[in-house]
Amino acid sequence: MIGALLSIPSFDLSARVHHRLHSRGFREITDSNSTVMKLLGPEGDRITELANKAGVTKQSMGYLVERLEAASYVERVADPRDGRAVVIRRTKKGWAYNRAAAEEVAKLQEEWTQLLGPAKMKELKSLLAELVAKLGHHYEGSYLEAVTRPPGQRRGSQARS
Amino acid sequence: MIGALLSIPSFDLSARVHHRLHSRGFREITDSNSTVMKLLGPEGDRITELANKAGVTKQSMGYLVERLEAASYVERVADPRDGRAVVIRRTKKGWAYNRAAAEEVAKLQEEWTQLLGPAKMKELKSLLAELVAKLGHHYEGSYLEAVTRPPGQRRGSQARS
DNA sequence: CAGTATAGACAGACGCTCTTACTATTCGGA
DNA sequence: TCCGAATAGTAAGAGCGTCTGTCTATACTG
């Protein structure tokens, strides 16, 4: 049952990360909110862009952004290039959340590497990457690679893989 | 990003299966409903058992079962051994749904095998199975193996893997 | 038989999603 | 330049699925 073999570790990972981030004080973040925080680009995005990335309507994304704004993870900035548009950007707290999430994912991945051994772990990731590529998904970097730094800073060693 | 590498194919698979089943006429089944149909044992289960398997409250499971009953996928039968309890069992339509779901999953899995090649596919499943085992999950057979036959019938060749 | 535990239902709340409808702004062609 | 079409976003209302708290009926146990 390939479905369960994929969904069990996938669920396990996100549940554990969510739990650890909750313990670290990021209490307001729900599953849907965390998706927005993953998808939000380093320079911010418009509601419509976020809605497209997440595959939901503008209205649904508006609701999520409203919640994230109320909890001070993001802020709305008027787009100077378009009077209709609003740019959603991470606040300091939003960046702290993303860094913490990347840390916890890295820790969990290390635990999995200990369970399987480095060779098998590498092989597993390689096979999954090939499968994802052949399934034709073309996600922007923001989804396959964690966003942990504001624009203008060099992309350093971590947050890779 | 191991999370995305797992969640993308996992989501892809369930979205496609859901879409195909919808096309085949099983229109009332939502994601939560499909989870119940996966978890429900061949001889039926009580609300409380289902709630435990799914990791939700009795009340939430009661709601889902109510919907499935209204759409004729399951029926409620008084439990002769316990006057408080009710056994939830698949109807004919419920069995048809499970068989159709197993068929579609098998087709998709075949497509993936064509994409990766049989050797890599086998290796991927083996690695995932090892990971799931080492993560300490002990799901009942009903979750890792599709339920497609009423009790009393021999478990035949398909629905395996 | 009395007290406790269990199975399930009821009520209310909230999170997230959708559809329909609307306003404000921008763009593009005559 | 200006008018119509497209786009960004908001508003209102509905439905699903989840939770907590509360309740009844039945079963188990000392």
Side-chain angles (χ1 to χ4, degrees):
Chain A
M1 201 82 275
I2 186 73
L5 292 179
L6 286 164
S7 65
I8 290 171
S10 177
F11 177 81
D12 189 278
L13 183 74
S14 41
R16 282 180 204 267
V17 170
H18 182 271
H19 181 259
R20 293 185 184 188
L21 290 172
H22 190 269
S23 303
R24 285 178 67 168
F26 300 104
R27 302 254 157 77
E28 310 92 337
I29 301 291
T30 64
D31 280 356
S32 294
N33 285 339
S34 73
T35 302
V36 178
M37 294 304 284
K38 280 191 207 107
L39 295 175
L40 187 58
E43 323 227 8
D45 279 307
R46 297 180 181 179
I47 297 267
T48 303
E49 287 177 284
L50 280 175
N52 288 338
K53 287 188 190 181
V56 301
T57 61
K58 294 186 296 180
Q59 294 89 329
S60 298
M61 187 51 67
Y63 171 81
L64 295 174
V65 164
E66 190 179 297
R67 291 330 209 61
L68 284 173
E69 187 188 23
S72 302
Y73 287 85
V74 302
E75 60 190 353
R76 293 164 183 270
V77 183
D79 189 332
R81 296 169 304 171
D82 189 333
R84 298 165 299 179
V86 173
V87 176
I88 311 300
R89 269 206 277 261
R90 286 182 187 81
T91 59
K92 216 166 170 177
K93 188 176 177 187
W95 284 111
Y97 172 80
N98 267 49
R99 282 193 300 274
E103 281 169 26
E104 296 301 342
V105 169
K107 279 189 209 166
L108 262 305
Q109 191 170 322
E110 182 50 37
E111 290 179 28
W112 287 15
T113 302
Q114 303 244 335
L115 287 178
L116 281 185
K120 285 184 176 175
M121 186 68 181
K122 190 178 167 194
E123 175 70 5
L124 175 59
K125 284 172 68 174
S126 156
L127 287 169
L128 286 171
E130 185 177 347
L131 178 60
V132 168
K134 293 200 167 149
L135 285 175
H137 283 270
H138 50 285
Y139 287 90
E140 291 86 280
S142 58
Y143 194 55
L144 283 171
E145 221 174 297
V147 177
T148 56
R149 285 185 164 66
Q153 301 189 19
R154 293 297 296 290
R155 223 155 231 282
S157 51
Q158 65 187 29
R160 186 160 307 286
S161 87
Chain B
M1 200 84 277
I2 186 71
L5 291 180
L6 286 164
S7 66
I8 290 172
S10 177
F11 177 80
D12 188 279
L13 183 74
S14 41
R16 282 180 205 267
V17 170
H18 181 270
H19 180 260
R20 293 186 184 188
L21 290 172
H22 190 270
S23 303
R24 285 179 66 168
F26 300 103
R27 302 254 156 77
E28 311 92 338
I29 300 291
T30 64
D31 280 356
S32 294
N33 286 339
S34 73
T35 302
V36 178
M37 294 303 283
K38 280 191 205 107
L39 295 175
L40 187 57
E43 323 228 7
D45 278 307
R46 297 180 182 180
I47 297 269
T48 303
E49 286 178 285
L50 280 175
N52 288 338
K53 287 188 188 178
V56 301
T57 60
K58 293 187 294 179
Q59 293 91 324
S60 298
M61 188 51 68
Y63 172 79
L64 295 175
V65 164
E66 190 179 296
R67 291 331 208 61
L68 284 173
E69 187 188 21
S72 302
Y73 287 84
V74 301
E75 61 189 353
R76 292 163 184 270
V77 183
D79 188 334
R81 296 169 306 171
D82 189 333
R84 299 165 299 178
V86 173
V87 176
I88 310 301
R89 268 207 278 259
R90 287 183 186 81
T91 59
K92 215 166 172 177
K93 188 176 177 187
W95 284 110
Y97 172 81
N98 268 48
R99 281 193 300 273
E103 281 169 27
E104 297 301 342
V105 169
K107 279 189 208 165
L108 262 305
Q109 191 170 323
E110 182 50 37
E111 291 179 25
W112 287 15
T113 303
Q114 303 244 336
L115 287 178
L116 282 185
K120 285 184 176 176
M121 185 68 180
K122 191 178 167 194
E123 176 69 5
L124 174 59
K125 285 172 69 174
S126 157
L127 288 169
L128 287 170
E130 184 176 347
L131 177 60
V132 168
K134 293 199 167 150
L135 285 174
H137 283 270
H138 49 287
Y139 287 89
E140 293 84 281
S142 58
Y143 194 55
L144 284 170
E145 221 173 297
V147 178
T148 55
R149 285 186 164 64
Q153 301 189 16
R154 292 299 296 290
R155 221 157 231 281
S157 50
Q158 66 186 28
R160 183 160 310 286
S161 84

